């Protein structure tokens, strides 16, 4: 028998490629910056000292982004 066993598929039958690297949302980026800072800051690691000013600003930025996103979802802001 001369029947081919593996016929090539048409080029358009392949699934679309997915990007290997995608960007995080601004909220995820803000949380990541806050978490990375907390892991490496000596002042933040000190239980008696509490979070430093940089950590407070990073957390405030994350909370603001989150509050704004919830507001947009609820239709409160454009």
């Amino acid at each position: 028998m001369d029947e081919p066993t593996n016929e090539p598929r048409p080029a358009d039958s392949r699934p679309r490629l997915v990007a290997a690297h995608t960007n995080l949302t601004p909220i995820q980026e803000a949380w990541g910056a806050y978490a990375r800072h907390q892991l490496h800051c000596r002042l933040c690691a000190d239980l008696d000292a509490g979070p430093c000013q940089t950590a407070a600003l990073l957390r405030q930025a994350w909370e603001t982004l989150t509050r704004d996103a919830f507001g947009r979802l609820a239709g409160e802001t454009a």
Side-chain angles (χ1 to χ4, degrees):
M1 284 191 187
D2 290 334
E3 294 180 21
T5 55
N6 292 328
E7 293 183 22
R9 293 187 302 173
D12 61 347
S13 69
R14 294 181 186 175
R16 293 184 56 195
L17 294 176
V18 177
H21 181 271
T22 57
N23 293 332
L24 298 175
T25 65
I27 294 172
Q28 291 169 320
E29 291 283 350
W31 179 258
Y34 171 69
R36 279 189 304 277
H37 173 81
Q38 287 254 313
L39 289 173
H40 300 290
C41 177
R42 288 184 181 173
L43 186 59
C44 291
D46 185 0
L47 294 176
D48 295 327
C52 70
Q53 183 65 26
T54 302
L57 291 173
L58 289 169
R59 173 132 185 146
Q60 183 181 14
W62 171 73
E63 288 176 355
T64 301
L65 287 169
T66 303
R67 192 176 315 108
D68 292 346
F70 278 121
R72 285 192 306 273
L73 284 173
E76 297 170 5
T77 60

